[in-house]
Amino acid sequence: MTVTDGIPSRVPAAPVHEGNTETEPAMVVVLSEATAGHLASLAGAGWPGTVLVVGSVAEAREALAGDVPERLPQPGGLRLDADSRSVVHAPESEQLTPLEYGLLEALLADPGRVLSFADLTSTVWGTTYTGDCSHLHAVVRRLRVKLEAVSAPVHLAAVRGVGFRLAPLAPLRGGALRSL
């Protein structure tokens, strides 16, 4: 265990090169105690391979499959920014929680296709669907508010008893919008 600025860490500190006047970029990642312990165990066991750190189960599956896209195809100028974990519909943007981001990422992968509660639970939470989808409905509620805040040209449409799909919004008379 090392101590940096009075903060204990189980991850070994990187060596400091004296005399280096160039500024090098740095990344600070805050890990839970359990996650730091698991990484330290891997390092201590002599793990020779690369450690892949991802933000969701979906990202892990894509990375392991070797087909991680630079950007997912986004309908109507809607864009997910992986670096800031936000949804962008110029000029507006909204920060997303990891669950909101994972859900929107899954739905944007195939706009219009209905993803079942089981598929979404597996993809976003990485767990098996048990018949309770209240957690999914809560995330959908929050995500709908954020999509509306950026004037997104899409809507999270519920398919009763099945799941959700990303549907384009169509203009009605008087400027109102409806889901297709």
Side-chain angles (χ1 to χ4, degrees):
M1 181 177 342
T2 60
V3 177
T4 307
D5 295 331
I7 300 170
S9 170
R10 289 199 167 101
V11 179
V16 176
H17 302 286
E18 296 297 326
N20 186 357
T21 58
E22 293 182 29
T23 305
E24 294 182 19
M27 180 183 297
V28 176
V29 179
V30 179
L31 303 173
S32 71
E33 187 71 25
T35 303
H38 292 305
L39 288 176
S41 296
L42 283 174
W47 175 253
T50 302
V51 175
L52 174 65
V53 179
V54 294
S56 70
V57 173
E59 282 183 33
R61 286 186 179 133
E62 288 174 359
L64 293 173
D67 58 354
V68 179
E70 276 299 309
R71 294 277 182 217
L72 292 172
Q74 315 308 338
L78 186 68
R79 183 172 62 87
L80 277 179
D81 186 334
D83 295 331
S84 65
R85 290 276 185 211
S86 60
V87 61
V88 179
H89 188 245
E92 304 294 325
S93 73
E94 280 285 322
Q95 289 293 127
L96 301 175
T97 67
L99 292 175
E100 292 164 349
Y101 186 92
L103 179 64
L104 188 55
E105 181 180 45
L107 291 168
L108 279 170
D110 196 357
R113 179 174 167 242
V114 177
L115 293 179
S116 70
F117 298 129
D119 289 340
L120 290 169
T121 301
S122 174
T123 301
V124 179
W125 279 266
T127 60
T128 304
Y129 177 63
T130 60
D132 177 22
C133 54
S134 60
H135 60 288
L136 184 55
H137 284 284
V139 174
V140 166
R141 259 191 312 277
R142 293 192 313 262
L143 189 52
R144 282 177 174 158
V145 169
K146 291 180 179 184
L147 287 173
E148 189 174 316
V150 297
S151 302
V154 293
H155 172 72
L156 296 176
V159 179
R160 181 168 281 227
V162 179
F164 291 94
R165 70 183 177 93
L166 199 60
L169 290 174
L172 294 172
R173 290 186 194 149
L177 296 172
R178 71 172 174 92
S179 180
L180 290 177

